[in-house]
Amino acid sequence: MTAALPPAEPLVGRFIRLTPFEAADVADLAVALRRPEVFAGGYGGGPAGMPADDAGFERFALGYYASAPDAMAWTVRLRGGQHDGRVVGATKFGDIDLPNESAHIGWTGYDPRVWGSGVNVEAKLLLLGAAFDHGFGRVKLQADNLNARSRAAILRLGATFEGLARRDKRRADGTWRSSAVYSILVDEWPAVRDGLEARLAARGDAPVELREAEPIG
């Protein structure tokens, strides 16, 4: 076994910082994520899983991103510009299996105002780099089979489609989802890393700015 947990310290990129998740982040995460369009794609179990209020979101987030021996959660913050430090999402390095050198990057949600901005690309670059730099050999990513947007985004990262895990997880509305499973192997990482870095370089050096969005209902 060569895999080891990355240290629980910030991962700093050009446009974002990933900081270890803390309970103090929840209020800002509610502003970013308690939105119908975030849950629509399957986040938190799908639309029926969206908490009705901030107190409900706090209960949800503290469970979703709870510390565990096989999981590390991160809060996503913008870096630079007028919104420096702004919380725009969360993600998790979970299902960590050190003997088998494997893990899963998921549980990810972003403020819709930063969709398509490069935030997800750099978050994956930072997390995949941390995984492979610490001896992991396989990182899994997955999405609800019905979520075409997330599935396309995973493929654009350079991941390989492995197949469907049928009737894999129960959605918040009680229906069952099949999960589309993808992976990146350590031998593939240099090419994947180059592709992600090229995508970030193409967007230029301007900090990520929040686009206008409808207020939370």
Side-chain angles (χ1 to χ4, degrees):
M1 180 183 74
T2 61
L5 289 177
E9 58 189 29
L11 301 175
V12 181
R14 293 167 59 192
F15 307 109
I16 63 170
R17 290 183 296 123
L18 302 182
T19 57
F21 171 80
E22 299 179 351
D25 300 334
V26 169
D28 289 334
L29 282 172
V31 174
L33 300 181
R34 195 174 68 79
R35 299 174 180 272
E37 59 268 49
V38 174
F39 283 80
Y43 178 77
M50 191 180 84
D53 53 30
D54 287 346
F57 184 88
E58 180 177 14
R59 292 190 295 273
F60 158 77
L62 292 176
Y64 211 52
Y65 298 112
S67 297
D70 67 343
M72 302 176 69
W74 307 85
T75 299
V76 184
R77 302 173 184 274
L78 296 182
R79 182 169 183 248
Q82 64 176 323
H83 301 296
D84 183 57
R86 181 70 168 263
V87 171
V88 294
T91 189
K92 189 162 74 174
F93 190 49
D95 297 337
I96 296 170
D97 183 343
L98 295 180
N100 288 309
E101 300 173 357
S102 67
H104 172 194
I105 293 175
W107 301 268
T108 304
Y110 298 111
D111 190 319
R113 292 173 291 179
V114 300
W115 288 358
S117 66
V119 165
N120 182 56
V121 173
E122 188 159 59
K124 294 301 191 290
L125 178 66
L126 292 170
L127 288 171
L128 288 165
F132 292 122
D133 286 349
H134 287 84
F136 286 84
R138 176 180 180 270
V139 175
K140 179 178 75 171
L141 304 101
Q142 65 182 30
D144 190 317
N145 182 47
L146 301 180
N147 189 341
R149 183 178 181 276
S150 289
R151 294 188 63 178
I154 292 171
L155 283 175
R156 286 196 300 272
L157 296 173
T160 296
F161 177 58
E162 294 187 341
L164 294 179
R166 298 186 300 165
R167 203 176 187 270
D168 179 48
K169 293 180 181 295
R170 192 187 292 274
R171 299 185 182 96
D173 64 3
T175 63
W176 288 90
R177 87 173 208 181
S178 293
S179 296
V181 180
Y182 303 79
S183 67
I184 298 171
L185 305 183
V186 64
D187 293 341
E188 300 163 345
W189 171 232
V192 171
R193 180 185 59 217
D194 290 349
L196 296 177
E197 290 176 343
R199 288 174 65 183
L200 289 174
R203 75 170 303 279
D205 295 324
V208 173
E209 302 292 349
L210 295 177
R211 296 188 298 269
E212 290 300 318
E214 295 295 323
I216 299 172

